[in-house]
Amino acid sequence: MIYADNRQDKIEVTDELKDILFRTIEFALKEEEVHENCEISLLFVDNEEIREINKENRGIDRATDVLSFPMLDYEDKKVYKEMYKDFKFDATYLDGENLVLGDIVLSLEKAMEQSKEFNHSFFREAAYLVVHSVLHLLGYDHIEEEDKKRMRPREEEILKAMELTRED
């Protein structure tokens, strides 16, 4: 189950945009071998709101493109498919029958800016940011170089499998 909440008025949230992003989330979960029914909240914000959230939660007073708030705990350097593939979740992690993976906060304003900067479509940029965030919800990180070498190629593999390349 994917919940979307639009809290900005700078970029129109069309049915096409929501459809692409929902399909992207579902595809990334499938590619990462998540077989449980999951719950993810997708919040659309502008640069000012994401700056506030970034400052409040990370102590960084600047706008960013996407923030991820995972609900699952991961052991050192492990990701979902390594830790939870055959795990039975208790009520701590469930909302009814759904495994609560976490929240994605996406600045559509920043996604639009970056799509122009990187010379590809807004949809491709938003999808990339959502894949990036889903991987964070599943335990991936990119702070350490070793982790980045694992996460960055995985993002591109998922987007390529969806036929969302940098040229799109």
Side-chain angles (χ1 to χ4, degrees), residues 73-89:
D73 299 318
Y74 297 94
E75 293 175 13
D76 188 41
K77 307 288 184 198
K78 299 258 177 137
V79 297
Y80 177 89
K81 62 186 174 183
E82 295 167 354
M83 288 184 60
Y84 296 121
K85 188 171 186 176
D86 299 313
F87 188 80
K88 299 298 178 215
F89 294 94

Side-chain angles (χ1 to χ4, degrees), residues 24-136:
T24 300
I25 290 169
E26 291 164 355
F27 189 84
L29 292 173
K30 183 176 141 247
E31 288 292 299
E32 284 297 301
E33 302 175 27
V34 178
H35 302 295
E36 290 82 15
N37 292 325
C38 294
E39 187 174 299
I40 292 177
S41 294
L42 177 59
L43 179 64
F44 301 117
V45 298
D46 59 22
N47 285 347
E48 183 57 29
E49 175 126 5
I50 207 162
R51 184 188 69 76
E52 286 295 323
I53 295 168
N54 203 18
K55 181 179 177 182
E56 183 178 307
N57 288 277
R58 299 175 64 221
I60 300 172
D61 189 9
R62 71 170 192 270
T64 189
D65 45 19
V66 69
L67 292 169
S68 311
F69 296 96
M71 294 300 292
L72 299 179
D73 299 318
Y74 297 94
E75 293 175 13
D76 188 41
K77 307 288 184 198
K78 299 258 177 137
V79 297
Y80 177 89
K81 62 186 174 183
E82 295 167 354
M83 288 184 60
Y84 296 121
K85 188 171 186 176
D86 299 313
F87 188 80
K88 299 298 178 215
F89 294 94
D90 63 27
T92 306
Y93 298 103
L94 299 174
D95 181 12
E97 296 291 316
N98 295 325
L99 173 63
V100 180
L101 288 180
D103 303 326
I104 298 170
V105 181
L106 175 62
S107 172
L108 294 180
E109 187 178 9
K110 184 64 83 173
M112 181 65 77
E113 292 168 6
Q114 290 177 175
S115 71
K116 292 174 183 173
E117 179 184 339
F118 300 135
N119 198 30
H120 54 242
S121 77
F122 169 67
F123 291 141
R124 194 276 179 198
E125 183 64 19
Y128 165 76
L129 294 172
V130 164
V131 167
H132 178 86
S133 197
V134 167
L135 291 179
H136 276 309

